């Protein structure tokens, strides 16, 4: 089941460049098969967006319950030397929770130029202090609109992943896994990306 409601006040224009202020809420609920069994999953969120006179402000809060894909995680599965493949960690219990949000602003200060700033954060397994992980990203960006159908974008992402409650790792096995998770999180570097969008 999927449902969405929204309300908007339109300032002018239409289509993807419509200037308006909008608020919305959505809910998605169902089951997903994994390992031959169906598991419940719920996703929902609320958000708002403002766009007028070259200024864009938007944000959304989302939460999840039930089956949650966590991440590739140690211990690693040896599929034959020298190849190693991480094991996908999927939390299947109906009590699992996650939540996150983003805030996004943009300013088109000239007809062909725009600067952007975004912050997003995602916390997984918030129902378990031992398993909880938090990923956050600051994104600094710029866009050049060569024509109505051709756009260039450049983004720099400052990324971070944390083990939220290392004090919850009590046994030696938990401490070993927690240390591995911290090493993996600490290895996540910043990212620079370039993109061209051509509408044809």
């Amino acid at each position: 089941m999927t449902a969405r409601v929204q309300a908007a006040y339109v300032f002018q224009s239409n289509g993807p460049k419509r200037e308006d202020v909008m608020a919305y809420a959505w809910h998605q609920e169902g089951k997903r098969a994994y390992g031959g069994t169906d598991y419940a999953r719920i996703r929902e969120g609320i958000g708002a967006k403002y766009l007028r006179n070259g200024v864009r402000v938007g944000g959304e809060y989302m939460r999840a319950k039930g089956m949650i894909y966590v991440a590739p995680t140690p211990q690693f599965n040896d599929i034959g030397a020298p190849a190693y493949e991480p094991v996908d960690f999927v939390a299947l219990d109906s009590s699992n929770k996650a939540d996150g949000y983003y805030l996004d602003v943009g300013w088109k200060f000239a007809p062909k130029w725009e600067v952007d700033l975004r912050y997003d954060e995602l916390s997984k397994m918030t129902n378990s202090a031992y398993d909880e992980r938090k990923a956050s990203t600051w994104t600094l960006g710029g866009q050049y609109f060569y024509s109505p159908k051709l756009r260039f974008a450049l983004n720099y992402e400052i990324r971070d992943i944390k083990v939220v409650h290392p004090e919850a790792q009590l046994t030696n096995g938990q401490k070993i896994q927690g240390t591995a998770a911290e090493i993996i999180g600490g290895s996540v570097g910043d990212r620079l990306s370039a993109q061209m969008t051509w509408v044809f």
Side-chain angles (χ1 to χ4, degrees):
M1 178 188 74
T2 301
R4 177 185 171 104
V5 293
Q6 70 179 48
Y9 178 82
V10 179
F11 298 119
Q12 64 177 2
S13 188
N14 53 43
K17 296 183 179 181
R18 185 180 80 178
E19 294 191 345
D20 64 5
V21 57
M22 176 178 65
Y24 57 89
W26 59 273
H27 178 89
Q28 185 181 67
E29 184 173 345
K31 293 182 181 292
R32 176 161 293 180
Y34 181 81
T37 303
D38 290 340
Y39 295 94
R41 56 194 306 273
I42 297 173
R43 306 290 187 266
E44 57 190 8
I46 57 173
K49 184 199 74 170
Y50 170 89
L51 175 62
R52 193 177 192 192
N53 297 329
V55 176
R56 184 189 73 255
V57 181
E60 185 173 2
Y61 170 77
M62 296 152 281
R63 65 184 184 185
K65 186 177 180 182
M67 178 183 180
I68 294 174
Y69 175 79
V70 180
T73 181
Q75 303 295 336
F76 292 96
N77 177 33
D78 183 2
I79 60 173
Y84 289 85
E85 183 178 276
V87 178
D88 284 331
F89 176 26
V90 181
L92 303 174
D93 195 84
S94 60
S95 64
N96 296 325
K97 293 181 180 180
D99 69 297
Y101 68 92
Y102 73 83
L103 298 171
D104 179 65
V105 296
W107 177 35
K108 196 172 184 180
F109 61 92
K112 291 184 176 291
W113 291 94
E114 178 176 313
V115 291
D116 304 295
L117 176 65
R118 175 188 172 102
Y119 177 77
D120 61 78
E121 184 174 295
L122 175 62
S123 297
K124 293 184 177 183
M125 301 300 293
T126 56
N127 56 297
S128 168
Y130 166 69
D131 292 312
E132 185 176 355
R133 306 288 185 266
K134 180 186 291 184
S136 60
T137 305
W138 282 98
T139 304
L140 310 174
Q143 300 185 69
Y144 175 68
F145 301 88
Y146 181 80
S147 71
K149 294 188 176 183
L150 184 60
R151 174 175 62 91
F152 298 93
L154 185 68
N155 291 302
Y156 182 72
E157 300 170 70
I158 304 169
R159 305 188 297 171
D160 184 50
I161 298 178
K162 291 182 178 179
V163 176
V164 180
H165 299 288
E167 73 281 359
Q169 299 159 7
L170 303 178
T171 68
N172 287 334
Q174 289 177 338
K175 291 178 181 178
I176 291 172
Q177 289 187 347
T179 300
E182 289 176 340
I183 292 172
I184 292 172
S187 69
V188 174
D190 298 344
R191 179 166 60 188
L192 179 66
S193 61
Q195 177 180 326
M196 180 186 77
T197 303
W198 178 30
V199 180
F200 60 91

